[in-house]
Amino acid sequence: MRKITIVSILLIVCLIFGSAPVIARSSFSDAKKGALHVEGNGLVDANGKKVQLRGVSTHGLSWFPDYVNKKGFKDLHDKWGANVIRLAMYTEEWGGYCSGDANNRKALKKLVKKGVEYATAAHMYAVIDWHILSDGNPKKHRKAAKAFFKMMSKEFKDYTNVIYELCNEPNGGTSWSTIKSYAEDIIPVIRKNDKDAIIVVGTPTWSQEIDKALADPIKEDNILYTLHFYAATHKTDMRKNVKKVLAAGLPVFVTEFGISEANGNGKTNKKSAKKWIDLLDKYGVSYIAFSLANKAESTSLIKSSCQKHSGLTRSNLTSYGKWYYDLLRSKAGKKK
Ligand code: IDC
């Protein structure tokens, strides 16, 4: 009798709270059940139903490691209504995966793995981001990238909630053909461990030129192309181009955006941001805001005066943070 009562309570709890996460509950024995795949402009679940991921990106893992914690990630899911977290691992900046020493690499690997586990426990998807930036050409650290993705895809081969982002923002004149050949080198390494993993590929000019990918796509399934924008800098002209590409059906993932200027500072522009979000929503494109940090810069979601790494309240957030918190909550069907 007691058992039945407990089971019924659990069932009711599941019915009430079970609708938000699209991810398979973290029993990985049946992980493949929940796998997403790419169709049209974005992602669909095992039943072909559109899935839009919405969430936040960490800042550089080396610089803000404390935000990677179990409670904080659970908050993002339960309170904010996020269903994805991006783990931004810089490669060449100070403390980067390729610029730091072996101990640093070890610590970063550990942190990425922890991040995936915490995301999984919170029923969120996790994007593992090889965050190239000052190393504008992904081929610069191709070998290290290959070894990294080989290791990570082996580790998470049975997880359905891990997404691989091959190169944050190629820049410095790196062409699409160079990026494409880098991607074609890395994709098989991941696919060897996880044959239908979702993989996101960066595009030229800080991941703004998705039209280049449309003109010459990678001939593989389950590939999305990266689009990044910062709403105070990137406005109508860029949106026009993006709209054309989306209308043509390219699978796109906004793995990072901000509403400040492109340098992460300056004024924010919520009007332009709304236009971007409306466009992405129209095509069901997934998006992730940068960043979950309290750094004194406009693209921080958290106030610099706030020292907490979990249990954040709305009042701990910057104006940008509040705007995004409200947006995520409303999209997730949560009350104001
Ligand atoms: C910025 C951070 C800043 C850090 C810098 C390192 O906001 O604190 O010092 O990186 O170079 C991007 C990049 C992202 C940038 C962000 C803002 O993907 O790494 O973060 N941005 O400049 N693309 C457009 C903007």
Side-chain angles (χ1 to χ4, degrees), residues 36-51 198 221-224 249-252 283-285:
L36 299 178
H37 55 278
V38 174
E39 224 178 85
N41 289 117
L43 298 162
V44 296
D45 69 13
N47 303 316
K49 199 173 155 233
K50 252 184 183 291
V51 172
I198 305 287
D221 290 335
N222 294 324
I223 302 288
L224 296 141
L250 189 77
V252 168
Y283 289 94
V285 170

Side-chain angles (χ1 to χ4, degrees), residues 59 63 90 93 131 133 168-169 228 230 256 262-264 290 295 297 299:
H59 199 290
W63 309 320
Y90 283 77
E93 274 64 17
H131 200 92
L133 191 58
N168 169 49
E169 291 185 353
H228 286 177
Y230 277 72
E256 179 185 313
N263 62 6
F290 188 84
K295 186 166 174 174
E297 61 180 6
T299 198

Side-chain angles (χ1 to χ4, degrees), residues 5-127:
T5 318
I6 293 170
V7 169
S8 340
I9 292 170
L10 275 175
L11 264 175
I12 293 166
V13 169
C14 285
L15 279 175
I16 297 171
F17 294 104
S19 56
V22 266
I23 172 183
R25 303 284 167 161
S26 44
S27 143
F28 291 110
S29 50
D30 68 344
K32 284 292 157 193
K33 261 192 188 168
L36 299 178
H37 55 278
V38 174
E39 224 178 85
N41 289 117
L43 298 162
V44 296
D45 69 13
N47 303 316
K49 199 173 155 233
K50 252 184 183 291
V51 172
Q52 189 186 32
L53 301 184
R54 296 178 224 99
V56 300
S57 174
T58 66
H59 199 290
L61 290 178
S62 288
W63 309 320
F64 293 92
D66 296 337
Y67 290 101
V68 180
N69 68 79
K70 197 168 182 181
K71 167 87 168 62
F73 279 21
K74 189 172 177 340
D75 289 344
L76 288 174
H77 178 268
D78 296 357
K79 287 205 213 155
W80 295 51
N83 53 10
V84 62
I85 173 101
R86 176 188 193 230
L87 304 162
M89 190 188 73
Y90 283 77
T91 47
E92 195 164 281
E93 274 64 17
W94 178 87
Y97 191 83
C98 303
S99 54
D101 61 11
N103 279 336
N104 183 59
R105 257 192 310 282
K106 213 171 141 192
L108 282 170
K109 278 186 234 172
K110 215 169 141 189
L111 202 54
V112 169
K113 288 180 185 174
K114 270 196 200 164
V116 171
E117 296 302 349
Y118 298 151
T120 306
H123 309 300
M124 287 196 292
Y125 288 85
V127 176

